[in-house]
Amino acid sequence: DWCPPGGASGSPFSDYLLIQNVNLEKSENLLRHRTEDFSSSKALVVRRGAPFRVTLQLEGRPLNPRTDSLRIKVLLGNLYVLIPVTFSKKVSSSPWKAYIDPSGQNLQSPSIFICPPASASVGHYRFQLRVFTRNSWKTCAFGRFILLCNPWCREDTVYIPFEDQREEYVQNDSGLLFMGTPVNPVSRPWSFDQYEPGVLEACLKLLQVSPQHQNNRRMDYLYRNNPVYLSRVVSAMINSEDDQGVLKGNWSGDFKQGVHPSTWTGSGDILTQWAESAYTPVKYGQCWVFAAVMCTVMRALGIPCRVVTNFNSAHDTNGNLVIEEYYTETGQKLKRSKDSIWNFHVWVECWMARRDLGPGMDGWQVLDPTPQERSRGVFCCGPAPVKAIKDQRYDLFYDIPFVYAEVNADVHSVVVSSDGRVLSYNKDTERVGSLICTKAVSHSQHQNITRDYKHIRSPTSTLTSRSSTMSEDSTSGRGPMGGVAVFLFLDKGPVAGEPVRFSVKVINRQSVSKVIKMHLNAQAKEYNHSPSDTFWEAHHVIQMAPMEAKVFHQQILPAHYEDVVGDDLVNLAVVLEDVASKERVLASEEFNIASPQLTIEIADKDVIVPNKEQTAMVTFTNPFSHPVSGVLTVAGAGLIQGKIHFR
């Protein structure tokens, strides 16, 4: 039932009417739908729940509202809907609506408003517009548009009610990813690149390549109206474990077949490389890369999204909500348990209504594209309502117990002898999920959202007092060593090139003197692994008078730690050994040594003019005792095509 553009059939020449072309009014529609930044896309990009205007250029006579009728056929794949075009805004029986602009007087080039419902499916649409005359004259024209979710529309399930949040979580194409440790979070700039050429098309291609689409195209198109469904598809497609997904994960340390995950600075290169390589997974990603690329896809599709970092994130492999850690008598951490604590783990939250779960579960939902565990047979995670995680609603969808363990598991620290005997044991209920944060709206700093996920026991507790409280609780009242407490404090956030200064406070709470051996041990570790070999250690024998407290100041010099600056972290532990009773007590801290920063100064930044060349000064100071060399890479979304490299 198709006719060629401008095709006509069987009518007298006096009734001659032809659609010469259809103007998609791109600039007006992009502005009206807040999609003007997608102007590089060849297709018109609009949002559901809001009308967009197309203008017909007619040849022959003008349109006659009394005798002519118009109909639009809108197609998504093989699904279609027929929409009668009305000559007023009156309610149509169809969810899709179309009407002639009532204010338009020029019926030689009439404007038609097409209104997709707020529940329409996301995707790349075609449409066919037909005019029927009284004498069976028929003329038609064609067009295409991309339809996205609409967080500005109250009827859309992704509606978010604050304009500053829509600007941050949908429109902002750059942001910060937080890494490091809770006592010293480090921000990594990231370019989400959702408006860069080819990125939106790659995001839509991701839906087409998904197993859900390949297995049942009709049902996939129908379900794409639901952000719950869309987010699960995207979560699975960002990793390549079950499909032709975007990124291959690698935590082995061997990146010869691709690039080190820390090399990436934005999502655009990753998504376009994937699309241009016939959907070959890009090598390599780790958690923050997976999350940042997912954030790009969700923002491009119109779903509010933010990147979230959970510091001291538990990976509880057996589901018992307990993470066991083992140390030697001298404070060296052992690789004994399948459970692990990642110093940080990065996922995303998407904003949506959860009509499948009933009232109270709308809002932010956790989604994790990093392949850790399968969800209903597929490597994806979520959407899990943040409210459901906080309230332990394990009966709801999806993956709430797994995320709950990531932010709430208990840590059992055990000191063992060389022959495997347990010498000391303590429990920490506050270390896991000690800080959960995201980029603040409109500001380049982190926003603490820990309270959204968990019930905080003490509103006044700080990270420093948490570790001391833990040590105090874990050592008091347990056998002969119950009268000795140990506390480990970093004097300040470690900075590359300066000694790492820390203090050990020892308290003898008993009314007898003690001789105590103090063992200090520092090991390098990657954020998601157990530590490697010891790179610094110190051993002391101390005398403690009855009821005495002493503070010992220690430092690790740059020459010892220079190899672990940057992405690596440090596990620092102190074990006290009572010489008389042979009992031990442990305190530990994990920290990062911040990389030296690049300083960027813009010349005359108050008088920057579009289309005029601008100068920037980039300064790097080498804090190390040895020479360094490398490549300075300059990239700017919307400013620079590709990247510029300086060796």
Side-chain angles (χ1 to χ4, degrees):
D1 196 23
W2 292 83
C3 60
S9 61
S11 63
F13 190 76
S14 60
D15 203 31
Y16 173 63
L17 174 64
L18 197 69
I19 302 177
Q20 214 168 19
N21 72 37
V22 177
N23 183 347
L24 296 180
E25 305 292 358
K26 198 170 176 183
S27 58
E28 175 197 317
N29 286 320
L30 293 182
L31 199 62
R32 182 196 297 264
H33 286 254
R34 297 175 177 84
T35 52
E36 61 267 35
D37 290 320
F38 289 114
S39 56
S40 66
S41 175
K42 292 175 185 172
L44 171 65
V45 182
V46 293
R47 300 188 187 278
R48 62 190 192 177
F52 63 93
R53 184 166 77 98
V54 300
T55 302
L56 307 185
Q57 194 64 46
L58 300 179
E59 189 179 308
R61 66 169 176 81
L63 196 69
N64 185 339
R66 291 192 297 274
T67 60
D68 301 330
S69 63
L70 294 90
R71 201 167 65 189
I72 300 173
K73 186 177 187 179
V74 176
L75 300 100
L76 179 61
N78 291 326
L79 299 177
Y80 69 89
V81 60
L82 293 171
I83 317 165
V85 180
T86 61
F87 285 85
S88 69
K89 284 186 178 182
K90 68 181 182 182
V91 176
S92 163
S93 58
S94 165
W96 287 73
K97 299 174 178 59
Y99 58 89
I100 297 279
D101 181 2
S103 63
Q105 302 301 315
N106 184 1
L107 293 176
Q108 193 69 51
S109 56
S111 285
I112 298 170
F113 283 99
I114 301 172
C115 309
S119 59
S121 292
V122 166
H124 206 141
Y125 285 78
R126 297 169 290 145
F127 71 86
Q128 175 190 5
L129 196 152
R130 287 179 165 183
V131 179
F132 297 90
T133 69
R134 177 178 52 192
N135 297 320
S136 304
W137 186 281
K138 183 170 64 178
T139 178
C140 55
F142 302 90
R144 292 176 180 272
F145 61 92
I146 291 170
L147 190 64
L148 308 177
C149 293
N150 190 352
W152 285 266
C153 173
R154 289 179 182 277
E155 290 75 39
D156 198 312
T157 47
V158 302
Y159 172 71
I160 191 167
F162 303 107
E163 181 59 25
D164 60 344
Q165 293 188 7
R166 292 188 287 254
E167 288 176 12
E168 182 69 56
Y169 301 137
V170 181
Q171 294 179 294
N172 200 349
D173 63 348
S174 64
L176 298 174
L177 315 179
F178 292 97
M179 307 164 78
T181 56
V183 292
N184 195 17
V186 174
S187 62
R188 177 190 288 266
W190 189 269
S191 186
F192 293 113
D193 295 332
Q194 67 263 39
Y195 307 121
E196 294 303 290
V199 169
L200 176 60
E201 288 73 15
C203 296
L204 292 168
K205 211 56 165 166
L206 181 145
L207 301 179
Q208 301 293 104
V209 175
S210 73
Q212 290 87 339
H213 185 76
Q214 298 300 317
N215 294 339
N216 191 331
R217 297 184 179 203
R218 174 183 168 80
M219 296 312 294
D220 174 62
Y221 281 135
L222 288 171
Y223 289 151
R224 279 196 207 171
N225 70 332
N226 184 351
V228 176
Y229 174 81
L230 283 169
S231 64
R232 275 184 75 76
V233 172
V234 173
S235 174
M237 281 298 297
I238 296 297
N239 70 72
S240 62
E241 294 306 302
D242 309 295
D243 43 49
Q244 289 181 282
V246 176
L247 277 161
K248 179 70 177 168
N250 186 344
W251 288 267
S252 70
D254 177 5
F255 304 105
K256 289 201 248 343
Q257 300 297 313
V259 302
H260 193 292
S262 64
T263 307
W264 302 114
T265 58
S267 306
D269 289 345
I270 295 168
L271 285 163
T272 51
Q273 181 179 322
W274 173 76
E276 290 168 2
S277 66
Y279 320 119
T280 304
V282 176
K283 298 175 180 177
Y284 291 103
Q286 291 181 0
C287 67
W288 72 91
V289 187
F290 287 110
V293 174
M294 180 162 184
C295 187
T296 296
V297 177
M298 301 313 279
R299 288 185 184 183
L301 298 180
I303 299 172
C305 188
R306 62 189 187 184
V307 180
V308 170
T309 301
N310 176 37
F311 286 98
N312 293 333
S313 186
H315 186 179
D316 180 23
T317 55
N318 57 8
N320 66 350
L321 291 180
V322 172
I323 306 295
E324 294 89 3
E325 295 188 332
Y326 295 91
Y327 288 83
T328 68
E329 301 167 67
T330 55
Q332 186 173 26
K333 198 173 185 182
L334 299 168
K335 300 175 184 177
R336 279 271 186 100
S337 174
K338 287 186 178 178
D339 290 345
S340 59
I341 297 176
W342 294 16
N343 286 80
F344 63 89
H345 181 46
V346 187
W347 56 65
V348 301
E349 289 176 357
C350 291
W351 181 276
M352 64 187 75
R354 290 302 301 271
R355 293 172 181 169
D356 56 326
L357 299 183
M361 293 300 144
D362 297 347
W364 291 114
Q365 316 283 320
V366 171
L367 288 139
D368 189 351
T370 299
Q372 293 185 89
E373 301 283 339
R374 282 192 159 90
S375 172
R376 300 195 169 187
V378 177
F379 275 109
C380 68
C381 179
V386 173
K387 292 174 185 172
I389 295 161
K390 185 172 184 174
D391 295 338
Q392 300 179 51
R393 288 294 307 274
Y394 301 144
D395 55 313
L396 300 179
F397 300 137
Y398 291 90
D399 309 306
I400 291 162
F402 183 75
V403 183
Y404 180 84
E406 288 183 297
V407 301
N408 277 303
D410 292 343
V411 183
H412 293 183
S413 297
V414 185
V415 178
V416 294
S417 64
S418 55
D419 59 2
R421 287 181 299 114
V422 173
L423 303 174
S424 161
Y425 161 87
N426 63 43
K427 182 170 95 170
D428 184 353
T429 60
E430 295 180 24
R431 179 172 149 204
V432 166
S434 55
L435 173 63
I436 305 169
C437 69
T438 187
K439 180 189 173 297
V441 173
S442 308
H443 295 288
S444 295
Q445 59 198 43
H446 76 263
Q447 175 189 348
N448 187 337
I449 56 172
T450 314
R451 290 177 180 276
D452 295 347
Y453 280 82
K454 50 202 293 184
H455 298 280
I456 307 293
R457 293 180 186 85
S458 167
T460 58
S461 72
T462 64
L463 291 167
T464 309
S465 67
R466 182 209 63 79
S467 54
S468 64
T469 304
M470 178 271 291
S471 302
E472 192 172 343
D473 290 348
S474 64
T475 55
S476 59
R478 283 198 171 88
M481 276 300 276
V484 175
V486 59
F487 302 86
L488 185 58
F489 300 101
L490 287 172
D491 294 353
K492 67 168 194 167
V495 177
E498 298 178 12
V500 176
R501 293 188 171 90
F502 63 96
S503 302
V504 179
K505 184 177 182 180
V506 181
I507 304 173
N508 179 6
R509 289 196 173 137
Q510 294 183 334
S511 53
V512 293
S513 299
K514 290 184 180 292
V515 178
I516 293 173
K517 288 182 180 178
M518 181 165 66
H519 306 284
L520 297 154
N521 189 286
Q523 296 161 268
K525 74 184 290 283
E526 292 180 37
Y527 76 95
N528 64 318
H529 280 138
S530 293
S532 54
D533 294 338
T534 297
F535 69 83
W536 175 88
E537 60 185 317
H539 307 276
H540 307 283
V541 177
I542 57 177
Q543 308 281 337
M544 297 294 294
M547 310 302 289
E548 184 183 19
K550 283 184 179 177
V551 176
F552 300 90
H553 299 288
Q554 301 284 319
Q555 64 178 16
I556 305 174
L557 296 174
H560 289 111
Y561 70 66
E562 280 184 351
D563 291 339
V564 299
V565 173
D567 292 330
D568 284 346
L569 301 132
V570 176
N571 181 270
L572 179 64
V574 55
V575 173
L576 299 186
E577 177 188 349
D578 185 327
V579 172
S581 68
K582 302 300 183 191
E583 295 290 330
R584 273 85 169 172
V585 65
L586 165 79
S588 65
E589 187 66 77
E590 290 185 338
F591 59 87
N592 52 310
I593 301 169
S595 299
Q597 294 293 301
L598 291 175
T599 305
I600 305 174
E601 290 183 12
I602 309 294
D604 302 322
K605 62 183 173 186
D606 297 328
V607 290
I608 291 174
V609 179
N611 303 311
K612 286 274 182 73
E613 195 172 273
Q614 195 63 33
T615 302
M617 175 79 76
V618 182
T619 308
F620 173 77
T621 303
N622 176 16
F624 303 116
S625 60
H626 55 80
V628 299
S629 62
V631 177
L632 173 70
T633 302
V634 180
L639 293 172
I640 300 169
Q641 281 291 334
K643 294 183 176 180
I644 303 168
H645 302 282
F646 300 91
R647 186 164 293 282

